[in-house]
Amino acid sequence: MESSENVQSRLDLFESAWSTREKPLHDRISTSHVDTIADVAKFIQSIDFTDSLIYLDTNSKDRKIPAGLILLGSCVATDVGLFSSIINMVKIKQRVAAVNFEFAQITKVKAALKHIIRYATDQDSDLNNDGDDEELGDEHQQGGQNRGIGLQKLQEYVQLHSLEKLILSFQDSEAFEGKFLSDLIQILRAWSDRIPFVLLFGISTSIDIFKDKLSLDVTSHLRSVEFSTDLVDSEHVFQATVAPKISCPWLGPNISRAILQRGNDQAKGISYFSRALKYMYMTHFFANPLSIFLNPYFRRETLDREHYEAVRNLSSFQKYIEKLLETDRNSKVARDLLNDKVCLANTIRIEIIKGHKSLERLLQALEVISKIQSLLLSKSKSKTLVPWSDLYILGMSGKLLLSPILRETLLSIKKMSSENMKELLVQLSALEQAIPSLPSILCGLETLTAIHPDPIRSSHEIHHRKALRTKIVAQKVELSAHSLTPSNQDRSYSTLVDRAHMALQNFFQETLITPQSLVLHEILIYDLKSPHRDVFAPKPRAVVERALSSPHDYLGCECCDFGGEDNGALMGSQPALAVLYQLYLESGSIINMADLWEAFSAVLRTEAEDEEGEEARVL
């Protein structure tokens, strides 16, 4: 059994790992809306309730409430970060209070008014009594014209704290009924000469559809300004999620494919990536006790014996032991790993760090392929760019090295002109861990192009080019095709191209590994397709059915073991309930109790028992 100290260590490790992922992911999404955030904040800050007669005239029928209609699109309709960023930017220059509305919280106008008063005044306990509810209810029934004591206190609170605006944000306005919004806006308008309300509506469909939900009278009472946001590229967000730190798990190919498919769904949106990634982290750290080894500084003294036994039962570790036993000189190392926990702990730490570095090199190979394809796409419109997410899935499944994508990419390098090759080598040489031989190839190419400034073609491309030659024979014109002969500079350039091609080929063979072949990849990589179903959601029916069908899987006793025979066979040594359940499965829709009793008795009957003993055992 795992100790509470190690459970707490896994919880701390999850919080640390997620904190390193959450901020970059949130920043990637937020920066895509920076223009919209600035425009909405500028709109709110420009509202001046003290100078405008429209806001101050109590008897004016033209008094309006300023409202920002933000067209988000379905991909970001539930993105909380956009609204919080707007509020934070406004607070830099003005004293404001903000109240957020969620559909799950608010369904009635009376509850909405209480929600505004409570959160705007920092949850004042004096406003939570029944008398205030009746006041707010009367105010709602009379169209918001009476001055309820709750909104009077809110007015006093605004004046006391010199609040310039009270911002009410509806992040998913489609979730609220039109009648609810219309009634609420009517009441807020009645108090807008005393309380500086500003409304923000997040709209995922269209402005016209949203206005159609409201009554014409209410629509005319809004001084609305429309804003729109740019959709976040799901590829960029996904790319920001798969480069973890040393203590974070890696996304496997199956879970990556599932996240991308659901993330690209219009109903899910970009914010799904953040929730899905956090859910994956929670599943890995909470349900897998071996995730404690992701911390390279784990203390072997505090680990339980079960941790080491679980590692020894991993398939990748067992294959590692078998590989060590292939040579006699490593047999002692294998014996120490199986018997000595100190040796095993040191090996785990080393293999986890090596695995992280190998996967980081794999990401670097994906970056190199992506740069090559981007350059080819910019020079030729006929080329298509393979999404980075597809490259990642192929790389993490170990299929990229032998894929047509890599083969065509390497073939395209041989046909590059000297200009394109120089541009590519400059980009690849600027990587953090540059390919060793590329800088020298770049130096040779720069020397060659300095002598021959015109674009140079490699012999690989020239051989694919044909020249037509005309010949007149007996007053007839004959056409013949022949290959072009490369010049001396073409041959020199072809030598550099071959060197670059060989360097990249060796680099890909070294870095594009099969992640499932890494030792302890079960700890490094998370690849469950349905974490909510496999970990958090209990499956009592399936567990009970399996226990009754195969009791040996749970009991581990010899009497229930079939010794490799058919697991569907019935044995009298099995528990009586398991025998009865398997006979029930063999029965049809109508069960004859007499036949069921005879079959049940026949299974449990043994030759050594007499008739009376048999009957007693069956009962």
Side-chain angles (χ1 to χ4, degrees):
M1 175 132 182
E2 189 176 15
S3 64
S4 58
E5 181 182 357
N6 289 326
V7 173
Q8 182 62 40
S9 298
R10 283 194 288 129
L11 177 60
D12 297 339
L13 191 60
F14 158 74
E15 293 175 349
S16 175
W18 176 242
S19 63
T20 62
R21 289 287 92 211
E22 184 178 22
K23 188 179 185 303
L25 186 60
H26 183 268
D27 292 344
R28 180 66 67 94
I29 297 177
S30 298
T31 51
S32 62
H33 304 314
V34 63
D35 293 336
T36 303
I37 294 172
D39 292 341
V40 178
K42 184 177 180 181
F43 159 71
I44 297 175
Q45 292 170 351
S46 65
I47 300 172
D48 191 352
F49 289 94
T50 60
D51 294 339
S52 177
L53 296 177
I54 296 178
Y55 302 132
L56 292 177
D57 189 358
T58 307
N59 299 321
S60 175
K61 296 181 180 179
D62 298 329
R63 186 172 61 252
K64 297 182 179 181
I65 301 178
L69 308 183
I70 309 174
L71 185 60
L72 303 170
S74 57
C75 287
V76 287
T78 57
D79 188 9
V80 181
L82 177 66
F83 286 85
S84 61
S85 299
I86 293 173
I87 302 301
N88 293 334
M89 183 171 290
V90 174
K91 287 183 177 179
I92 295 176
K93 295 183 177 180
Q94 296 180 345
R95 292 179 58 85
V96 299
V99 179
N100 177 43
F101 281 86
E102 295 180 4
F103 176 68
Q105 296 175 330
I106 308 300
T107 56
K108 297 181 180 180
V109 175
K110 182 171 65 175
L113 294 175
K114 284 193 62 177
H115 181 75
I116 295 172
I117 298 168
R118 180 183 301 114
Y119 284 91
T121 58
D122 198 17
Q123 300 184 4
D124 191 346
S125 60
D126 295 338
L127 301 175
N128 295 332
N129 53 55
D130 296 334
D132 292 346
D133 293 346
E134 295 178 1
E135 294 283 356
L136 294 173
D138 294 340
E139 179 180 334
H140 167 55
Q141 293 174 1
Q142 299 180 24
Q145 299 301 321
N146 293 336
R147 300 183 179 183
I149 188 172
L151 290 177
Q152 286 181 354
K153 288 189 175 183
L154 179 59
Q155 177 187 356
E156 296 172 358
Y157 179 86
V158 170
Q159 295 175 350
L160 179 63
H161 292 81
S162 301
L163 295 180
E164 300 179 52
K165 278 117 184 162
L166 178 57
I167 304 173
L168 309 181
S169 61
F170 300 80
Q171 296 172 16
D172 190 6
S173 60
E174 271 80 5
F176 298 92
E177 295 182 358
K179 187 178 184 305
F180 165 79
L181 292 176
S182 299
D183 293 344
L184 180 61
I185 293 173
Q186 287 281 24
I187 296 177
L188 298 179
R189 176 180 173 272
W191 285 82
S192 61
D193 60 321
R194 288 151 287 177
I195 303 176
F197 290 113
V198 177
L199 307 181
L200 294 179
F201 295 98
I203 302 173
S204 59
T205 53
S206 68
I207 303 295
D208 294 335
I209 293 177
F210 171 73
K211 290 183 177 180
D212 289 341
K213 291 176 55 175
L214 307 177
S215 63
L216 294 176
D217 190 28
V218 170
T219 304
S220 63
H221 293 159
L222 294 177
R223 187 172 72 88
S224 58
V225 178
E226 300 177 4
F227 304 92
S228 62
T229 60
D230 296 328
L231 295 181
V232 184
D233 188 359
S234 59
E235 288 292 323
H236 292 162
V237 177
F238 178 76
Q239 192 170 355
T241 65
V242 296
K245 303 296 182 181
I246 189 66
S247 60
C248 301
W250 291 75
L251 289 176
N254 294 321
I255 190 65
S256 299
R257 189 179 295 108
I259 290 178
L260 283 168
Q261 289 175 352
R262 300 186 67 182
N264 292 329
D265 186 359
Q266 291 294 322
K268 298 295 181 183
I270 291 298
S271 58
Y272 171 78
F273 281 100
S274 178
R275 298 194 300 270
L277 186 65
K278 184 175 183 179
Y279 204 68
M280 186 274 288
Y281 272 47
M282 292 171 61
T283 303
H284 189 66
F285 284 104
F286 294 172
N288 186 5
L290 298 183
S291 61
I292 196 172
F293 291 114
L294 285 175
N295 180 12
Y297 306 106
F298 68 86
R299 297 173 55 192
R300 64 173 182 266
E301 300 84 5
T302 60
L303 297 180
D304 302 313
R305 178 179 58 85
E306 289 79 3
H307 285 100
Y308 297 106
E309 292 300 325
V311 170
R312 293 186 177 110
N313 282 281
L314 293 177
S315 59
S316 62
F317 181 81
Q318 293 175 355
K319 292 178 181 178
Y320 178 63
I321 294 295
E322 293 174 359
K323 187 176 180 179
L324 291 176
L325 293 176
E326 292 178 358
T327 57
D328 294 337
R329 62 179 182 178
N330 292 328
S331 58
K332 183 179 183 303
V333 178
R335 190 179 301 108
D336 292 339
L337 290 175
L338 296 175
N339 299 322
D340 187 2
K341 69 177 184 179
V342 176
C343 179
L344 178 59
N346 294 333
T347 302
I348 291 173
R349 182 179 286 106
I350 294 173
E351 292 299 331
I352 290 294
I353 296 176
K354 286 173 57 179
H356 272 292
K357 291 182 178 180
S358 298
L359 293 176
E360 288 175 355
R361 292 281 287 171
L362 189 147
L363 284 187
Q364 185 185 6
L366 300 185
E367 185 179 359
V368 171
I369 297 175
S370 181
K371 285 184 177 296
I372 296 174
Q373 290 193 341
S374 299
L375 180 62
L376 294 174
L377 181 64
S378 64
K379 304 301 180 181
S380 175
K381 300 300 180 184
S382 60
K383 299 292 183 179
T384 57
L385 182 65
V386 179
W388 193 91
S389 58
D390 291 350
L391 294 177
Y392 179 82
I393 292 174
L394 287 173
M396 291 301 291
S397 59
K399 300 177 181 179
L400 185 57
L401 182 60
L402 301 178
S403 66
I405 297 175
L406 183 61
R407 185 166 57 251
E408 294 174 1
T409 302
L410 291 174
L411 183 60
S412 299
I413 292 176
K414 286 189 172 183
K415 298 180 180 180
M416 278 186 174
S417 64
S418 58
E419 293 178 346
N420 297 341
M421 178 61 70
K422 183 178 180 180
E423 184 178 350
L424 175 63
L425 294 178
V426 169
Q427 293 181 10
L428 298 183
S429 301
L431 296 176
E432 293 183 2
Q433 298 179 354
I435 303 173
S437 56
L438 289 188
S440 62
I441 298 174
L442 176 60
C443 182
L445 181 59
E446 290 176 344
T447 303
L448 181 62
T449 54
I451 301 174
H452 305 281
D454 295 333
I456 308 174
R457 304 286 180 179
S458 69
S459 58
H460 303 285
E461 184 182 9
I462 294 176
H463 287 161
H464 287 82
R465 290 175 175 263
K466 300 292 182 179
L468 294 178
R469 179 177 298 173
T470 60
K471 188 177 182 181
I472 300 177
V473 179
Q475 296 183 349
K476 292 182 180 180
V477 178
E478 294 182 357
L479 297 177
S480 60
H482 71 282
S483 300
L484 297 176
T485 302
S487 60
N488 292 332
Q489 61 264 26
D490 292 337
R491 294 189 184 94
S492 301
Y493 174 64
S494 299
T495 303
L496 295 175
V497 170
D498 291 337
R499 288 177 56 192
H501 178 272
M502 183 60 65
L504 289 172
Q505 191 174 32
N506 294 336
F507 169 74
F508 289 135
Q509 289 177 351
E510 178 186 351
T511 56
L512 293 179
I513 61 172
T514 301
Q516 289 72 22
S517 64
L518 294 174
V519 183
L520 306 180
H521 69 84
E522 297 90 344
I523 302 176
L524 282 169
I525 304 172
Y526 180 85
D527 200 28
L528 288 180
K529 290 184 179 180
S530 304
H532 61 286
R533 186 175 61 201
D534 295 336
V535 177
F536 287 110
K539 299 179 291 184
R541 181 185 181 91
V543 172
V544 172
E545 289 178 349
R546 179 184 174 187
L548 294 176
S549 302
S550 304
H552 174 71
D553 293 346
Y554 290 86
L555 299 179
C557 54
E558 297 181 357
C559 58
C560 298
D561 188 9
F562 296 98
E565 299 179 0
D566 184 13
N567 288 344
L570 292 173
M571 296 177 59
S573 59
Q574 290 181 333
L577 185 58
V579 174
L580 185 62
Y581 175 73
Q582 295 176 62
L583 291 174
Y584 160 75
L585 294 179
E586 297 175 358
S587 305
S589 56
I590 300 177
I591 301 177
N592 188 310
M593 294 303 297
D595 295 342
L596 181 63
W597 173 259
E598 288 296 329
F600 180 67
S601 302
V603 173
L604 297 185
R605 184 183 297 117
T606 59
E607 297 180 357
E609 292 177 329
D610 54 15
E611 183 176 353
E612 182 178 356
E614 171 199 337
E615 187 74 14
R617 182 172 183 271
V618 170
L619 291 175

